[in-house]
Amino acid sequence: MCFGGRARIRGRAIEFYEGGTKWFVQRLPHGQFTLALTLGHTILGQTDASLDISRNHETVHILQYERWGPLFLPAYFLSSIYMWLVGRRFYRDNPFEREAYNADGGEHDL
């Protein structure tokens, strides 16, 4: 927020967007195509609109985090590595992402 960003609480999450948050997200690998990402109960989004578009998807990740606890991030990354090793898409074929896309009902890349 010191770098022009904004924050709000929505449902189970605190959302950060604009300013430094947008700058950070855009500098991640493929960040220019990333609307938002979730870390625990925190959603980092590029803009207010990107959060609106991705909220259902990101809420699924919050629920996954609540279910898996501290094992969520290792399980997520290991699932991505496994998908890549077996010749699948490391992001879209990750079971965590498939669950989020199925719940979201969307085909947009997040």
Side-chain angles (χ1 to χ4, degrees):
M1 290 181 59
C2 294
F3 299 100
R6 302 183 61 148
R8 63 179 171 222
I9 295 175
R10 282 276 166 97
R12 298 163 114 61
I14 184 166
E15 299 177 340
F16 293 93
Y17 59 102
E18 300 290 353
T21 303
K22 181 177 180 178
W23 180 90
F24 172 76
V25 170
Q26 288 179 341
R27 274 142 190 86
L28 295 171
H30 304 287
Q32 68 272 23
F33 304 111
T34 302
L35 297 176
L37 66 104
T38 299
L39 301 168
H41 285 85
T42 303
I43 301 174
L44 306 177
Q46 291 202 36
T47 64
D48 180 47
S50 68
L51 288 169
D52 288 341
I53 293 166
S54 62
R55 188 168 290 110
N56 291 339
H57 180 99
E58 300 305 329
T59 298
V60 172
H61 290 313
I62 291 170
L63 296 172
Q64 291 168 339
Y65 170 75
E66 289 175 351
R67 190 167 50 239
W68 285 77
L71 297 177
F72 175 67
L73 284 179
Y76 182 97
F77 288 118
L78 288 172
S79 293
S80 287
I81 290 169
Y82 176 76
M83 289 297 124
W84 179 72
L85 289 173
V86 299
R88 305 285 303 269
R89 298 172 297 180
F90 73 92
Y91 173 74
R92 286 301 296 257
D93 292 328
N94 181 316
F96 295 101
E97 289 300 332
R98 284 198 336 253
E99 181 183 0
Y101 277 107
N102 288 341
D104 186 29
E107 286 298 317
H108 49 272
D109 286 324
L110 302 177

